[in-house]
Amino acid sequence: MKRILIVDDSVSIRQVVKLTLESAGYEVIEADSATSALNKLLSLGKIHLIISDLNMPGMDGIEFIKTIKHDPHYGEFRHVPIMMLTTVVEEDKKLEGQMAGAKAWLTKPFLPDKLLSCVQKLIGD
């Protein structure tokens, strides 16, 4: 079973994403902030995908990606694909996210089928 880490400060978004992914057979781990996600990564073991919000208190999603991609503590996660799930639609932010290492950008509100399609493109079933 493939494991996906969801990072979002919104409980309701995490619940909808978790329900969508679990119904498709994925294992889901939740984090309510980038800092919490970084702490969880160190104890989780293998993760196949990270889905992160952009706008969160403390560390934002782009800083979160940069930390995973460049901090040696998270070296084993450097090649894990990261999808941004956010309300932000500005092209400059999308480009900044892509430059940081985001592999996909999905905007909220989202359709469950669209989320699953993106996930499958990144990590398969």
Side-chain angles (χ1 to χ4, degrees), residues 50-63:
I50 298 169
I51 299 174
S52 177
D53 189 10
L54 176 63
N55 296 315
M56 297 180 284
M59 182 185 295
D60 74 12
I62 290 175
E63 284 303 311

Side-chain angles (χ1 to χ4, degrees), residues 35-53:
T35 306
S36 171
L38 291 171
N39 290 333
K40 285 184 181 210
L41 279 174
L42 294 176
S43 62
L44 278 177
K46 185 141 182 73
I47 290 288
H48 297 89
L49 175 67
I50 298 169
I51 299 174
S52 177
D53 189 10

Side-chain angles (χ1 to χ4, degrees), residues 5-20:
L5 175 63
I6 305 168
V7 188
D8 199 306
D9 56 315
S10 166
V11 172
S12 58
I13 292 292
R14 287 197 318 270
Q15 287 174 339
V16 171
V17 173
K18 181 175 183 171
L19 183 65
T20 301

Side-chain angles (χ1 to χ4, degrees), residues 22-109:
E22 286 182 342
S23 70
Y26 297 103
E27 179 184 352
V28 177
I29 293 101
E30 299 178 61
D32 62 3
S33 69
T35 306
S36 171
L38 291 171
N39 290 333
K40 285 184 181 210
L41 279 174
L42 294 176
S43 62
L44 278 177
K46 185 141 182 73
I47 290 288
H48 297 89
L49 175 67
I50 298 169
I51 299 174
S52 177
D53 189 10
L54 176 63
N55 296 315
M56 297 180 284
M59 182 185 295
D60 74 12
I62 290 175
E63 284 303 311
F64 173 60
I65 294 172
K66 289 178 180 175
T67 301
I68 291 170
K69 299 295 183 185
H70 303 291
D71 186 321
H73 286 94
Y74 305 99
E76 67 186 285
F77 305 103
R78 188 170 291 130
H79 301 292
V80 172
I82 300 173
M83 175 179 14
M84 299 304 293
L85 180 61
T86 177
T87 57
V88 177
V89 296
E90 288 82 14
E91 288 302 319
D92 61 329
K93 274 294 180 190
K94 287 182 184 180
L95 183 59
E96 188 180 352
Q98 185 179 17
M99 298 290 284
K103 296 289 183 208
W105 192 282
L106 187 61
T107 53
K108 300 174 192 171

